[in-house]
Amino acid sequence: MKVFVILALTISAVWGAKKCNKGAADGKSLTEETCEAAMTTCTSPMFVEYTGMSSQTYGCGSCGEFKDLTCKECTSEDDGAACNTAVTAPTDAHKFECFAHTYDSETKKFKAAEKATTCNALKDTAVKCNSPGASAEAAYVQANGGCGPCAKGTIDAKTCVECDKTGCNNSATTFAFVLMPLLAAIFNLL
């Protein structure tokens, strides 16, 4: 009788063990691994609007607070097949460029990077860049390295401005967006 109980427990432990693919976020060298008995979920990267594929690795476990933000979670079946197969960016995703800005403590102004950041968006997502606004202070952190819209509430607070063309948030362009309406107003007054 004891032999049957031990055999039944062993079979249920083996049968109940979940398998997940393990590997780097690029999904190029995935290996299947058996997870701990209590682990029922697997993780994988996901496409994130404006930033592209996340850096989440493949493996056993849960995504925690990053679930559906930068990490996808799935539950493997008891048949032993891993549910977290390799994922890639959607084939119809498009790319555009925006500039990241950093605060220059000497000039006391934000400065656009010399090289643009490549932004990734879904097919129907409009091009949108963000940059620090007139009220942005030294500690201001730009959303997504300049890719995509401003964070909620920052436009009203005048700490962020948006534009809708590739590369539109470089310093020269941002300056032109502010300067041109000002020049037009002065010209109309004369």
Side-chain angles (χ1 to χ4, degrees), residues 74-99:
C74 61
T75 303
S76 284
E77 300 298 323
D78 287 333
D79 66 2
C83 64
N84 61 341
T85 56
V87 293
T88 58
T91 57
D92 61 352
H94 66 100
K95 295 178 187 260
F96 57 95
E97 292 182 337
C98 295
F99 289 85

Side-chain angles (χ1 to χ4, degrees), residues 24-114:
D26 63 12
K28 291 180 181 173
S29 300
L30 297 180
T31 56
E32 195 172 78
E33 71 175 348
T34 301
C35 303
E36 294 177 17
M39 196 61 56
T40 60
T41 56
C42 305
T43 62
S44 62
M46 62 181 279
F47 184 82
V48 179
E49 193 75 280
Y50 296 111
T51 58
M53 292 301 297
S54 69
S55 60
Q56 173 66 44
T57 57
Y58 292 83
C60 298
S62 69
C63 294
E65 65 186 276
F66 301 106
K67 184 176 181 182
D68 297 330
L69 297 174
T70 58
C71 177
K72 275 292 181 192
E73 207 173 272
C74 61
T75 303
S76 284
E77 300 298 323
D78 287 333
D79 66 2
C83 64
N84 61 341
T85 56
V87 293
T88 58
T91 57
D92 61 352
H94 66 100
K95 295 178 187 260
F96 57 95
E97 292 182 337
C98 295
F99 289 85
H101 289 73
T102 54
Y103 188 77
D104 184 339
S105 57
E106 288 182 25
T107 63
K108 306 282 189 230
K109 294 180 181 177
F110 283 91
K111 181 180 175 184
E114 289 182 22

